[in-house]
Amino acid sequence: MAPLPVEFEPLVTDWITAAATAFAALGTIATFVTGLILLKKEASRDSERLDAERRKQARRVHGYAAWQEEARGPQGWVRAGYAYVIANNSDEPIYRIRLPREFVNTTTRYRMLEAGTRQIQPMTEEEVNGLDLADNWRAANPEVELPPIGANVFPIAFAFVDAGNVRWERGNDGSLREGPVRLMPNP
């Protein structure tokens, strides 16, 4: 066999092939980088959507003191009186609810409150007397939106954990804020 002749000078087709290979490599890298950027944007969008859903659930949970025709207390059903009400109007349950009762120096705790339900806790006489202070607060803060259930409704402070295991706190003024990430002991 005869040896193959080797040319040392590149041909035009070699330059065209090299340029096409380089452009293909750059195109592959650009496609990969673009894919990563789009993936990051999609993850950010999903995170924002989940955050909005979580906030939506928390905004639909209210706590207030109001006149109740019936309330279930430690001794059974009590007729007509003021009571603390925690209403879960969201589509998910809430957990580890804490209701500080400042006038009697104690905290009432509930493990869970199903979606669309209310927890009613009768108030003591000392707590009802404290509502006069809340009534003065309500007159001074008419811009705060309260649940539309009646004239004698007073917002209360309480904390809960949503279905996404995020702690939320409602203030006496009806405000809602995401609480610090700490676990509350179960009642």
Side-chain angles (χ1 to χ4, degrees):
M1 294 214 154
L4 293 171
V6 177
E7 293 184 26
F8 292 104
E9 291 187 32
L11 300 174
V12 173
T13 56
D14 292 335
W15 285 106
I16 293 173
T17 303
T21 304
F23 284 125
L26 287 175
T28 302
I29 291 171
T31 302
F32 181 72
V33 169
T34 302
L36 288 177
I37 290 170
L38 290 174
L39 184 64
K40 184 177 178 183
K41 284 183 179 179
E42 185 66 27
S44 174
R45 211 172 319 162
D46 284 347
S47 174
E48 289 172 5
R49 183 183 51 80
L50 291 173
D51 188 46
E53 286 177 11
R54 191 184 60 200
R55 289 184 187 283
K56 179 182 173 185
Q57 178 191 5
R59 280 194 305 266
R60 298 185 72 195
V61 177
H62 297 281
Y64 49 89
W67 183 264
Q68 298 292 310
E69 291 302 318
E70 294 181 315
R72 184 177 174 91
Q75 291 82 25
W77 286 93
V78 179
R79 289 254 187 236
Y82 274 99
Y84 291 114
V85 179
I86 297 178
N88 180 8
N89 298 322
S90 71
D91 298 333
E92 299 281 337
I94 58 172
Y95 305 93
R96 293 182 283 187
I97 301 113
R98 290 184 57 194
L99 171 63
R101 299 173 68 179
E102 58 188 90
F103 295 105
V104 291
N105 245 355
T106 187
T107 299
T108 301
R109 300 170 190 250
Y110 307 105
R111 288 183 192 264
M112 183 177 84
L113 187 56
E114 290 290 335
T117 60
R118 298 183 315 157
Q119 180 68 46
I120 300 172
Q121 176 68 38
M123 297 174 73
T124 64
E125 189 174 329
E126 294 87 9
E127 291 171 314
V128 172
N129 291 337
L131 287 180
D132 290 336
L133 301 173
D135 200 20
N136 293 337
W137 174 88
R138 185 178 177 151
N141 298 284
E143 70 281 355
V144 175
E145 183 180 331
L146 297 173
I149 52 175
N152 296 323
V153 178
F154 308 97
I156 58 173
F158 68 101
F160 64 95
V161 175
D162 69 8
N165 205 25
V166 176
R167 185 168 180 264
W168 295 92
E169 296 175 349
R170 270 252 187 234
N172 280 339
D173 59 355
S175 63
L176 177 68
R177 71 181 178 95
E178 198 168 330
V181 181
R182 61 184 162 124
L183 295 178
M184 296 181 293
N186 287 330

